[in-house]
Amino acid sequence: MNIAATTPRATEIQSMTRSDTPLVRFHGVRKSFGELEVLKGIDLEVASGEVVALIGRSGSGKSTALRCVNGLERINAGELTVCGRALHGGKVDLRDLRQDVGIVFQSYNLFPHLTVEQNVTLAPRKVHKIGAAEARDLAEQVLAQVGLSEKAKNYPEQLSGGQQQRVAIARSLAMRPKLILFDEVTSALDPELTGEVLRVIAKLAAEGMTMMLVTHEMAFARSVADQVVFMHQGRIWESGKGDMLDDPQTPELRQFVGNGL
Amino acid sequence: MRGCALSYEFDFSFLNDYMPELWHGIWLTLGMTIVSIVPGFALGTSCAIGRLYGPPWVQRIVTIYVEGIRNTPLIIQVFWLFFGLAVLQVRVGPFPAAVIALVINVGAYTAEIMRAGFLSIPKGQLEAAACLALKPSQSLWSVQIPQAVERVYPALVSQFVLMMLATSIMSQISAEELTGVAYMIQSFTFRGFEVYLVIAVIYFVMACLLRLTLLGVAQVSFPRRRRLGTPL
């Protein structure tokens, strides 16, 4: 079903050429948890192939914004369109959406009872119904992408944190998503392991994967992101190219960047 | 008194005379135990899932069932089922009646054990499964049930061993399992002390064997444990 056609903006969306259609479009998005409004009107567009870094203090709403994109949180007001599907109003087929939108978590969330290969191929086998041979090839391919081909038969607990996180990235890649969300994926890692995970993400970015990252790695955001979004108190306070971090326009970003260095 | 005790002569000749009956009792005890384990586990797991994820009316029914069973004696449940079915004109033999009662009984305890197992799985696991576009049923089968079982396996083993020991009341509905046979032998031989000593040893051995068997099942079912020696 073409959800876009039923929205008031259908003509607007259809008038654009396909490549111009943003993969993700926030328009006045609001989200509350009880009394607490954590997103107070977010406008943001992510084009296909773009890397967007969300930065900001804890509690600024960046993780919530990210989690709205694959339906882990439901927005209360505004419009949110992801990969051609409207996530506002009406019923949303989350399983359908999530075949296009992968996510990698801070705590990896690998399945501890399954081997690396089984972790990576579980969803393609169950959801895309691929066969055993195809699954093996797929695992080989995505594990090579994250540099862990030799760990296919290991269990997650046998791997370092950085390796586990790379397996989680491979698990996401195995679903062939159009967009991957990274939710503070290096926050639990030491600097060395952080480096190995960031290198994998940078490689994916170079290969053209569309990504949204919530991150505290300012240097990484500056160098890899096409768009850096600084969130403060539930609003987008400042956004721009990576070099905006060198020349903050608001005292809040100046203070945030200053504290981070 | 002391002289009396010392002059007591042990007599285990019943072991010879009643061997077929003893074997019959052992097989019946083992039989009703083994037949009850899988359906009892399935019933308990289904109830745990129903109580955790089902609609409110399912949760209510499961709660009533679990609490009803866990707070009444097994022997009353057995009588109630056996004589209740008779009142309803349903003819069920002692062995099937015993098995049905055991499944219903162990299902309630298993439900609580498995519920604890499901609750102990970190939320991130469920989120990860959902974010990989797995259906709730696929998440249950591939992610939640294997992890829940692995986490509570020792408690499940204890419960099934307890269930085997609890079959000792089934002679009350004329399923002549091991304890029933023991009662019969001692009433013929008046060698109660020896008979029940032997029966206790037999139960002990059977319980150890059941434990070992179930741990062997774990070695096959949990490849990670086999590979890494992860403690259960």
Side-chain angles (χ1 to χ4, degrees):
Chain A
M1 185 180 107
N2 185 1
I3 298 165
T6 64
T7 68
R9 285 173 198 282
T11 47
E12 195 183 316
I13 290 170
Q14 278 162 356
S15 67
M16 286 189 270
T17 60
R18 173 125 185 93
S19 59
D20 287 334
T21 311
L23 219 49
V24 181
R25 186 167 180 281
F26 285 76
H27 184 75
V29 168
R30 289 172 178 273
K31 169 72 188 173
S32 305
F33 293 112
E35 296 283 285
L36 184 71
E37 191 172 42
V38 283
L39 297 182
K40 298 170 183 165
I42 299 290
D43 295 291
L44 177 66
E45 289 191 357
V46 181
S48 187
E50 200 178 17
V51 178
V52 175
L54 301 174
I55 61 170
R57 279 197 196 89
S58 301
S60 60
K62 55 195 191 310
S63 272
T64 304
L66 193 81
R67 289 165 62 88
C68 287
V69 176
N70 79 340
L72 275 174
E73 308 292 351
R74 223 175 140 63
I75 68 172
N76 298 122
E79 291 172 8
L80 175 56
T81 311
V82 179
C83 299
R85 299 173 187 81
L87 304 194
H88 44 85
K91 246 181 110 66
V92 182
D93 185 349
L94 289 177
R95 289 189 51 240
D96 181 54
L97 171 75
R98 287 166 180 172
Q99 293 184 41
D100 281 345
V101 184
I103 185 165
V104 183
F105 301 96
Q106 178 180 347
S107 49
Y108 332 133
N109 297 347
L110 294 178
F111 304 127
H113 61 298
L114 300 178
T115 63
V116 165
E117 183 176 351
Q118 290 167 332
N119 262 281
V120 166
T121 56
L122 176 67
R125 295 185 67 155
K126 299 284 175 191
V127 179
H128 295 159
K129 310 283 182 201
I130 66 170
E134 202 182 333
R136 235 185 340 269
D137 291 346
L138 178 65
E140 217 166 273
Q141 192 188 335
V142 292
L143 287 174
Q145 268 183 287
V146 300
L148 286 173
S149 305
E150 77 285 4
K151 299 289 185 190
K153 303 293 178 201
N154 286 92
Y155 284 90
E157 66 190 273
Q158 295 174 294
L159 307 181
S160 73
Q163 290 171 332
Q164 290 192 43
Q165 195 57 292
R166 282 150 66 197
V167 172
I169 294 171
R171 182 172 69 174
S172 204
L173 287 172
M175 288 295 279
R176 304 269 178 248
K178 296 188 175 124
L179 164 71
I180 302 186
L181 312 173
F182 293 86
D183 191 4
E184 297 195 31
V185 295
T186 58
S187 299
L189 302 172
D190 69 32
E192 194 186 341
L193 299 180
T194 295
E196 78 181 44
V197 172
L198 292 183
R199 272 193 294 281
V200 167
I201 298 175
K203 196 178 115 210
L204 292 179
E207 289 166 7
M209 175 58 77
T210 312
M211 303 193 279
M212 292 179 74
L213 320 104
V214 168
T215 184
H216 293 298
E217 300 293 330
M218 291 305 127
F220 182 76
R222 183 190 284 124
S223 62
V224 174
D226 301 302
Q227 197 185 158
V228 176
V229 175
F230 172 62
M231 289 189 65
H232 185 68
Q233 294 179 349
R235 291 192 173 83
I236 294 181
W237 214 252
E238 241 184 270
S239 69
K241 298 270 175 212
D243 54 17
M244 84 169 195
L245 295 173
D246 302 324
D247 181 24
Q249 301 299 304
T250 57
E252 288 79 10
L253 180 56
R254 194 170 306 126
Q255 194 194 355
F256 181 72
V257 174
N259 287 343
L261 297 177
Chain B
M1 290 302 280
R2 177 179 270 195
C4 261
L6 283 175
S7 69
Y8 185 88
E9 280 179 31
F10 288 99
D11 178 4
F12 288 98
S13 58
F14 70 90
L15 273 174
N16 247 325
D17 305 338
Y18 294 95
M19 211 36 154
E21 287 81 358
L22 279 172
W23 275 117
H24 182 77
I26 290 171
W27 282 124
L28 206 59
T29 294
L30 280 179
M32 61 177 77
T33 303
I34 288 164
V35 170
S36 303
I37 285 180
V38 171
F41 174 71
L43 174 67
T45 304
S46 314
C47 286
I49 292 166
R51 194 167 176 181
L52 283 172
Y53 307 116
W57 65 271
V58 171
Q59 293 181 13
R60 209 165 303 133
I61 289 175
V62 171
T63 305
I64 292 169
Y65 156 63
V66 167
E67 297 309 327
I69 294 297
R70 293 202 313 156
N71 294 295
T72 52
L74 172 62
I75 193 162
I76 304 298
Q77 295 160 17
V78 172
F79 283 149
W80 193 75
L81 184 83
F82 192 63
F83 297 118
L85 287 178
V87 169
L88 292 173
Q89 308 284 328
V90 181
R91 295 176 63 90
V92 179
F95 184 82
V99 167
I100 294 171
L102 285 174
V103 167
I104 291 175
N105 182 266
V106 85
Y109 288 95
T110 304
E112 282 304 274
I113 295 173
M114 284 300 290
R115 193 163 72 101
F118 283 119
L119 287 174
S120 75
I121 300 173
K123 288 276 167 289
Q125 292 286 311
L126 312 189
E127 227 171 52
C131 288
L132 287 166
L134 293 178
K135 288 181 201 159
S137 60
Q138 293 170 328
S139 167
L140 261 177
W141 276 111
S142 303
V143 176
Q144 290 167 263
I145 293 178
Q147 291 192 55
V149 174
E150 205 172 337
R151 280 159 185 266
V152 298
Y153 199 78
L156 288 174
V157 170
S158 288
Q159 195 58 55
F160 292 131
V161 170
L162 275 175
M163 181 186 76
M164 190 199 78
L165 298 178
T167 59
S168 62
I169 61 155
M170 291 304 181
S171 58
Q172 299 288 321
I173 55 165
S174 67
E176 292 302 326
E177 38 62 50
L178 192 52
T179 304
V181 170
Y183 185 80
M184 183 268 290
I185 296 174
Q186 71 86 27
S187 69
F188 286 134
T189 61
F190 299 104
R191 287 288 170 178
F193 181 70
E194 290 94 327
V195 169
Y196 287 113
L197 184 67
V198 167
I199 295 301
V201 170
I202 295 176
Y203 270 116
F204 184 84
V205 171
M206 290 200 306
C208 291
L209 286 177
L210 182 60
R211 246 176 237 284
L212 281 175
T213 307
L214 291 174
L215 289 177
V217 169
Q219 291 290 324
V220 177
S221 319
F222 308 134
R224 175 169 63 130
R225 177 181 152 73
R226 194 167 64 235
R227 280 264 306 278
L228 308 180
T230 319
L232 277 174

